Amino acid sequence: MTFLHAGLRAGWRGLSPARFTTLAALQDPKGGALILKSLSADAYENLGLEDWLHEYVQPRHREVLLLWRNRSVVVIGRHQNPWQECNLRLMRDKGVRLSRRRSGGGAVYHDLGNINVTFFTSKKRYDRRGNLELIISALKRIRPHLDIMATDRLDLLLNGAFKISGTASKIGRTTAYHHCTLLCNSDSSLLSSVLCTPHQGLKSNATPSTPASVKNLQEEDPTLTCDILMDAIAAEYSRRHGLQGQIILIDPKDTLVLPGVDRFTQELKSWDWIYGKTPKFSVSHTFSVDHNLSRAEVKLSMNISRGRIESCNIEVLSDWLPSEMCDQLATDLIGSKFCPTETMVLANAHLRICPQDSILHNKWNVLCEQVMAIM
């Protein structure tokens, strides 16, 4: 069993009573409802665990509640465009990862101050509003003064104004799951920064997120912690399903208990899933490039399909750079990933074959940095 760092491990110890599980216990056809808690703080592992549970455990026999938390990550919906939803450059600088889930809905920021709750049911028993009412009841039992309500969009609002929970779902032929967030003491500054795209001139038919003012529950009640909130939700779920409050700890990397779970996790970590599943979009961007006292305007236009550049045109509106260099870069970018790493490789390859002119090289670097900044 993989152990987390000491701080997170100590947090899990408060979620008692608890025990570990076996494959037989998970798939017992006579078993009742289950409450699971993930031992991982890795978004790909936890989303892979969701997929595994949806596929193999709950469809025919039982309902399952899964509680989990992630280290810093932005999670976008299945049909979203990451360049439209978040600041990828800032995320790279801050070490915030990007993940695409299999459910729809909008982009959310997770860290260890945020709780994720997943309700697994049959398709017939799928009830998003009922699940949110369960969470509201759990919070009311421990903090009756909290003013929390479910909206028509099936989010949770604090004091009628601040979003504390976003929600999404996946509905299969016979099964479904509904998952939602719950902000306790998340980094609100980083949340707002990474969920703000710097892009202008991006056109996409991808599902857009709906902006909202958010607030941590701990801002309303400083005594609240993630452990308290998770225990309260587990207790309410137990009451409604006639359980004895037993919580099962589960490790998403344990392939003995979860045979084949690594296949789900690896797919969710792949570039082709995270970026390649982005619906087609186009970028049209005009920017200035400067070197010493020399300046030029650049027009950049691209079409991107499956995360790769389908067409590209780079036009420098002066003799600031030789036009053949820009034309060649635009041609070479076609077919490459819409990402700064591959663009940097191509840009450096051009420098090796162009004349050894320091001014030309500096201008070229300035141009390529601007191109990479939109990726």
Side-chain angles (χ1 to χ4, degrees):
M1 191 66 68
T2 299
F3 292 98
L4 303 178
H5 62 76
L8 182 57
R9 187 168 65 245
W12 286 120
R13 281 200 293 266
L15 304 171
S16 61
R19 60 186 171 88
F20 296 101
T21 189
T22 64
L23 177 61
L26 287 176
Q27 296 186 325
D28 181 3
K30 297 180 181 179
L34 291 174
I35 302 175
L36 305 177
K37 279 196 177 74
S38 174
L39 287 167
S40 175
D42 181 286
Y44 309 116
E45 293 174 359
N46 284 324
L47 290 170
L49 173 62
E50 273 194 328
D51 291 339
W52 192 94
L53 292 169
H54 178 65
E55 185 75 19
Y56 294 115
V57 173
Q58 54 79 35
R60 297 173 297 279
H61 310 124
R62 54 179 29 166
E63 297 185 22
V64 178
L65 173 72
L66 174 66
L67 300 169
W68 45 293
R69 287 188 286 169
N70 292 325
R71 288 183 291 271
S72 295
V73 62
V74 170
V75 183
I76 60 174
R78 182 185 183 101
H79 306 294
Q80 289 200 293
N81 181 325
W83 292 276
Q84 185 179 23
E85 295 299 327
C86 46
N87 189 328
L88 293 172
R89 189 173 189 178
L90 178 63
M91 288 167 60
R92 289 190 289 266
D93 291 343
K94 297 291 187 179
V96 178
R97 295 189 294 177
L98 176 69
S99 180
R100 183 188 297 273
R101 60 182 184 269
R102 296 192 188 277
S103 62
V108 289
Y109 170 75
H110 295 177
D111 61 19
L112 293 176
N114 171 75
I115 300 164
N116 299 289
V117 185
T118 310
F119 298 88
F120 297 88
T121 64
S122 66
K123 185 177 180 180
K124 290 182 179 179
R125 296 178 181 176
Y126 169 77
D127 182 5
R128 285 172 73 172
R129 183 167 290 279
N131 295 335
L132 294 179
E133 292 297 337
L134 184 151
I135 293 175
I136 293 173
S137 295
L139 297 180
K140 288 287 189 179
R141 281 183 184 273
I142 59 170
R143 299 295 187 273
H145 63 279
L146 291 177
D147 178 9
I148 301 172
M149 61 173 287
T151 68
D152 292 340
R153 294 177 53 86
L154 298 179
D155 298 323
L156 291 181
L157 290 187
L158 177 66
N159 299 332
F162 301 103
K163 186 174 177 179
I164 58 170
S165 176
T167 178
S169 61
K170 177 179 172 63
I171 302 176
R173 187 173 58 86
T174 61
T175 63
Y177 66 76
H178 163 221
H179 48 194
C180 56
T181 59
L182 189 60
L183 291 172
C184 178
N185 60 337
S186 194
D187 186 335
S188 55
S189 176
L190 189 56
L191 181 156
S192 59
S193 298
V194 297
L195 292 181
C196 181
T197 178
H199 292 306
Q200 297 178 352
L202 189 152
K203 294 183 179 179
S204 173
N205 291 324
T207 303
S209 296
T210 302
S213 298
V214 300
K215 191 173 186 178
N216 282 305
L217 283 167
Q218 201 173 79
E219 295 179 62
E220 191 74 7
D221 187 330
T223 67
L224 286 172
T225 66
C226 287
D227 289 342
I228 290 172
L229 294 173
M230 286 189 286
D231 283 346
I233 294 169
E236 184 67 22
Y237 191 86
S238 294
R239 276 190 288 270
R240 297 192 178 199
H241 289 83
L243 305 178
Q244 299 302 312
Q246 189 71 60
I247 297 168
I248 297 174
L249 301 180
I250 192 164
D251 181 356
K253 292 190 290 296
D254 191 340
T255 56
L256 293 178
V257 173
L258 311 166
V261 69
D262 50 337
R263 174 174 57 87
F264 292 103
T265 300
Q266 290 306 313
E267 182 180 359
L268 291 169
K269 292 171 83 168
S270 70
W271 192 95
D272 286 339
W273 171 258
I274 298 172
Y275 297 98
K277 287 296 183 181
T278 302
K280 285 186 177 181
F281 68 102
S282 64
V283 173
S284 180
H285 193 52
T286 301
F287 54 87
S288 297
V289 285
D290 298 276
H291 179 257
N292 293 337
L293 298 178
S294 175
R295 168 179 286 198
E297 294 294 311
V298 178
K299 287 186 177 179
L300 171 68
S301 59
M302 293 181 178
N303 289 310
I304 293 93
S305 177
R306 299 179 184 238
R308 293 181 179 270
I309 299 169
E310 198 172 49
S311 66
C312 180
N313 183 66
I314 303 172
E315 183 180 359
V316 180
L317 306 181
S318 74
D319 57 357
W320 196 77
L321 268 177
S323 60
E324 57 269 21
M325 289 184 69
C326 297
D327 293 342
Q328 189 60 52
L329 177 62
T331 299
D332 290 346
L333 282 171
I334 295 174
S336 68
K337 294 175 180 176
F338 186 65
C339 75
T341 304
E342 291 205 1
T343 301
M344 182 182 295
V345 171
L346 290 171
N348 289 338
H350 279 282
L351 278 184
R352 288 194 292 270
I353 62 175
C354 76
Q356 294 301 309
D357 182 327
S358 61
I359 295 177
L360 181 65
H361 283 208
N362 289 336
K363 288 181 176 181
W364 180 253
N365 285 330
V366 170
L367 172 67
C368 292
E369 285 174 3
Q370 289 290 331
V371 174
M372 290 186 291
I374 69 169
M375 296 179 173

